[in-house]
Amino acid sequence: MINAVDKTNRRLFFALALPKPLQQKIVQWRADHLPPEAGHPIAAANLHLTLAFLGEVSAAKAQVLQQQAGRISQSGFNVMLDDIGHWPSSGVVWLGCKNPPRGLLQLAQLLRSQAARSGCYQTPLPFHPHVTLLRGAVRPVALPAKTQNESFRGDHFSLYESVFARGRTRYNVIQSWPLTGSSKDI
C-alpha cells in the first residue's frame, strides 16, 4: 500500500534484467575489448536493457504504472546482443540488437505508450534496444569489429528504481512481471 503522506518522487524505469552469468561475461568482454580510459564502466549488477524510462515519478503515478504493467499479457522472446555502438553526444557505449525480436519491440512500445498516457515524458527518438556498457565516453572510442553475440531469454520485465547514494548508482527492482508462453522470435 502506498502511503498518502509520501510526496517524494522516485527515478523509475522498466527494463529487462540480464542473467547474472551474462552480466559477468559482458563485464569480462568489455575489459578485454575496451580501453579503461574510454569511459566509466557500468557495474555488472546494473547491466540491463531499458524498455521505458519514466523519470521522476510520484508514488501515486508509480502505482498506476504498476497496475497497467500487471495487465500485460505477452509471450517471452530471445534477445541477441550482436551489435555495438557509441553515441558520442550522450557519451554512451552500448551492446544492442541488429534485428530486435518483435516481442521486445511490442513490449517496449506498450510500456512507453502507457507511460506517456500517464504523463511520463517519452523521447520522440525511436526505441533502440541496448545495454549500456560505458558512460562518459565523449571522445572517439575504438570499437571491436565484432561482439560475442550473446543471447538471453526475455521471460519477465521489471520496474526499477535508480538510487544514487555514497557516490554510486544502484538499480533496485520494485516489481517484476512474467512474460508467458514461448516465442520463436530470435
Side-chain angles (χ1 to χ4, degrees), residues 4-185:
V5 179
D6 183 10
K7 303 255 188 226
T8 60
N9 288 345
R10 301 189 302 178
R11 190 172 175 85
L12 304 178
F13 61 93
F14 285 106
L16 295 178
L18 300 184
K20 290 198 185 312
L22 179 56
Q23 290 174 335
Q24 295 304 320
K25 274 185 174 180
I26 289 172
V27 166
Q28 185 60 55
W29 180 88
R30 178 181 64 200
D32 292 343
H33 291 88
L34 296 171
E37 67 277 3
H40 306 292
I42 303 302
N46 284 350
L47 294 174
H48 66 276
L49 193 151
T50 300
L51 298 165
F53 181 72
L54 306 173
E56 297 291 327
V57 176
S58 69
K61 191 179 289 187
Q63 185 175 29
V64 168
L65 291 163
Q66 287 173 273
Q67 289 169 347
Q68 292 171 340
R71 292 188 201 110
I72 293 174
S73 177
Q74 182 177 319
S75 293
F77 43 81
N78 293 323
V79 178
M80 175 68 72
L81 298 174
D82 58 356
D83 196 13
I84 186 166
H86 178 213
W87 294 321
S89 60
S90 61
V92 169
V93 174
W94 50 266
L95 283 179
C97 309
K98 287 181 183 171
N99 297 300
R102 184 174 61 241
L104 171 60
L105 298 176
Q106 290 171 335
L107 179 60
Q109 181 57 42
L110 182 55
L111 290 167
R112 290 172 70 162
S113 295
Q114 288 176 346
R117 284 193 302 276
S118 295
C120 298
Y121 171 79
Q122 296 297 294
T123 178
L125 298 172
F127 176 64
H128 186 274
H130 68 280
V131 175
T132 300
L133 299 177
L134 301 172
R135 291 199 185 280
V138 292
R139 294 189 185 132
V141 176
L143 298 175
K146 190 167 174 11
T147 67
Q148 283 183 216
N149 295 350
E150 295 292 347
S151 67
F152 69 98
R153 181 80 181 155
D155 58 8
H156 71 282
F157 67 100
S158 303
L159 178 63
Y160 286 82
E161 178 180 18
S162 176
V163 178
F164 184 77
R166 298 182 183 161
R168 296 183 128 170
T169 300
R170 293 184 191 271
Y171 300 143
N172 300 324
V173 174
I174 295 174
Q175 187 173 354
S176 295
W177 297 270
L179 295 171
T180 59
S182 63
S183 172
K184 293 182 175 44
D185 281 351

